Amino acid sequence: MDKIAVLVPCYNEGKTIEKVVTDFKRVLPEAVIYVYDNNSTDGTAEIAAKAGAVVRHEYYQGKGNVIRRMFQEVDAECYLMVDGDDTYPAESAREMADKVLERNVDMVVGDRLSSTYFEENKRPFHNFGNSIVRWGINTFFKNDIKDIMTGYRAFSYRFVKTFPVLSKGFEIETEMSIHAIDKNMFVENVVIDYRDRPEGSVSKLNTYSDGIKVIGTIVRLFQTYRPLAFFGTVAAILMVLAIGFFIPVWITYADTGMVPNFPTLIVCGFVALASIQSFFAGLILQTMYRKNRQDFEMQLHDCYARKLEAEKKN
């Protein structure tokens, strides 16, 4: 088991990867630098190997797929994940790693949004999207993570080995944040300086398609982790619609004793039934969710036991 493992997912970062590896080797000389190449065509893997990194490959395209591979293959007391585009300063790595190693923090978030991100990033829709996502996650899940989508994070062994990677692409950061909140992990923020990509380095993010994926991920995870709130909201909306359409029918019946809009009455009944079904579906799923939380706590005990066994072998 490594003491500190620096994990660098890469796709065509040949212009910057050498500097990233060199910087982190300088700041964290005891760390092992792992570069996971995701089908790069610009020599990223070769450049990283020459710079002294341990180079591995993930051939299934997508950042989420790369992170799944990294988390499965690498064992360490502290994991530091950083993008290979040289937008995150290595100088913050020591502080982030120390929080994991000395304070038992499960996830340290490299907070760009509280420092230079909005000045350095030249894509206004990215700035707006980051703010919206941060507000949405912290509102729906009752937390105060300062930067939901940052690619600069430090993790504990138990976070990495209990995190189910479901997303395939860049929405993986959102999934990490929600997992940490939901599983009551110890999360801290470290303000970092952000710098935009150097000239010639191209972002792989698509503002609109990736933004839609992130929003879809938030909705999906809200349904998964807060089922009663999600289906309860759906139930309330359906019941309001049913009552809204039923009132005119009832007024007409009260005045004339007749129901001329009989199809509307039938639809109101079905919508009301759908509302009741949605509410009870939320109750059932909430019970299942609580059982999953209990199982997860037992999984944490098993994870800790495996860590102790690995440390004894070392």
Side-chain angles (χ1 to χ4, degrees), residues 48-254:
K50 289 180 181 178
V54 176
V55 177
R56 295 178 180 175
H57 297 270
E58 170 55 56
Y59 298 103
Y60 191 14
Q61 197 68 38
K63 186 175 183 180
N65 298 319
V66 178
I67 291 174
R68 180 187 297 110
R69 179 73 63 185
M70 293 191 302
F71 283 4
Q72 288 173 349
E73 293 183 350
V74 178
D75 289 330
E77 294 180 41
C78 172
Y79 300 79
L80 195 77
M81 187 181 75
V82 64
D83 292 340
D85 56 9
D86 194 33
T87 57
Y88 300 107
E91 288 71 24
S92 300
R94 177 62 65 186
E95 179 183 1
M96 295 172 70
D98 285 346
K99 285 183 177 293
V100 173
L101 295 171
E102 297 176 6
R103 288 174 49 81
N104 295 320
V105 178
D106 290 301
M107 184 174 74
V108 183
V109 176
D111 174 18
R112 311 161 296 170
L113 305 188
S114 299
S115 61
T116 57
Y117 181 79
F118 294 108
E119 291 78 22
E120 288 288 328
N121 188 19
K122 304 304 188 296
R123 293 157 292 186
F125 282 108
H126 282 208
N127 298 342
F128 176 73
N130 269 285
S131 299
I132 289 295
V133 170
R134 177 175 61 177
W135 173 85
I137 295 296
N138 289 331
T139 299
F140 294 151
F141 294 90
K142 309 300 181 186
N143 207 268
D144 191 31
I145 294 181
K146 300 298 185 182
D147 191 347
I148 300 297
M149 300 181 67
T150 178
Y152 198 13
R153 300 170 189 250
F155 306 104
S156 66
Y157 177 86
R158 73 171 188 166
F159 180 96
V160 166
K161 298 305 180 183
T162 60
F163 173 56
V165 181
L166 302 178
S167 299
K168 297 179 180 179
F170 286 96
E171 64 271 25
I172 185 69
E173 282 95 355
T174 304
E175 191 174 323
M176 287 176 175
S177 300
I178 294 176
H179 174 76
I181 295 169
D182 178 72
K183 296 303 187 292
N184 199 29
M185 296 283 190
F186 186 11
V187 179
E188 286 196 351
N189 302 282
V190 170
V191 177
I192 63 168
D193 291 329
Y194 175 86
R195 50 185 178 249
D196 205 7
R197 283 174 170 267
E199 187 176 351
S201 178
V202 180
S203 173
K204 317 305 182 300
L205 284 171
N206 183 292
T207 302
Y208 303 104
S209 64
D210 286 319
I212 291 172
K213 289 178 183 177
V214 168
I215 292 173
T217 299
I218 294 173
V219 174
R220 172 174 58 83
L221 293 176
F222 184 64
Q223 175 187 336
T224 301
Y225 291 126
R226 300 290 186 271
L228 185 56
F230 180 86
F231 287 100
T233 301
V234 173
I237 293 172
L238 291 175
M239 188 58 72
V240 168
L241 288 174
I243 294 173
F245 282 105
F246 177 73
I247 289 175
V249 176
W250 171 256
I251 292 175
T252 301
Y253 174 76

